[in-house]
Amino acid sequence: MTSDAPRQPAAARYPRAAAGSRRAEPRRRATRPRPPLALAIPGVPALAFLVAPFVALVASAPGGEMTSLLDDGPAAEALWLSLRPASLSAVLCVVLGVPLAWLLAHDALPLPGLVRALVTMPMVLPPVVGGVALLALLGRRGLLGEHLDAWFGVQLPFTTAAVVVAQTFVALPFLVISVDAALRAVDPRLAQVAASLGGSRWYVFRRVTLPVVAPGVAAGAVLAFARALGEFGATITFAGNFPGVTRTMPVAIYLALERDRATAVALSLVLVAVSLVVLVALRSRWLGGLAGLAARGVEMAGAR
């Protein structure tokens, strides 16, 4: 028996197979024009200028002594004193930086231009100036530190907590800028649709806006961690140089360079490797995949 109903195309009857065939097709990449020779001539030496020092650093590595140097007590201690405060600093940057970035992105603060300039100041000032400023605020005779000492007996400088504070001070702008840019790129209609479906402002931010800007938050957190890990000037000024307490890897590298160059090179290679992993992670696809959660947030706002 034959049916008079029109037959559906194969793509409609077998959607998975059609999708698989489309995925199997090679992607066409747009051909980019070759750069003019006038740009390539200075560009290649610039690349060599940036890469050559790292090549020289790898070439001067102590080889088989790397493991023994890193397992050494002071070196391993400095590595741990860098990783732990830097991780805590990255968490603090997320907790404090995301709300601040939201206020900046929505111009919710008076004099937004001046506030934005003040927020980015730690990025352009010498880190040692940041350390002096922290001492002026939180030192024993500082604007706030004097009262902390008198009322609560809290002395923050030259402690491990001071390392976290110094690292957070210099790393926070990196997260704020990343999240601010991500928030400004969000389509405002997403929040409007979710609000029209009954979602409160907090619910819309938590389930719609935040998933959309999650790649920016992740990128900013990774950058903040890398910046905190390599902080030197503000740390040594505000936290000092006490073995096992405040001597981080950058401080240990600076001291080791005067008496044990092999240890300085080994520690430097560790920081270079961590920074390279961080920058490669920023280019990975998982950072962009989180934006797909926005659609689910809108759906949940409507079902609420």
Side-chain angles (χ1 to χ4, degrees), residues 11-35:
R13 287 180 289 150
Y14 306 103
R16 294 184 178 179
S21 62
R22 286 195 298 267
R23 286 195 298 265
E25 295 179 0
R27 295 182 180 179
R28 295 182 179 179
R29 296 183 179 180
T31 57
R32 298 180 180 179
R34 299 180 61 183

Side-chain angles (χ1 to χ4, degrees), residues 19 162 167 185 233 264 302:
Q167 292 178 345

Side-chain angles (χ1 to χ4, degrees), residues 10 35 38 42 44 47 50 64-65 67 74 110 145 158 170 206 210 299:
V44 172
L47 176 63
L50 294 175
E65 300 179 3
T67 304
F158 310 111
V170 299
R206 184 166 49 93
L210 191 57
E299 294 176 358

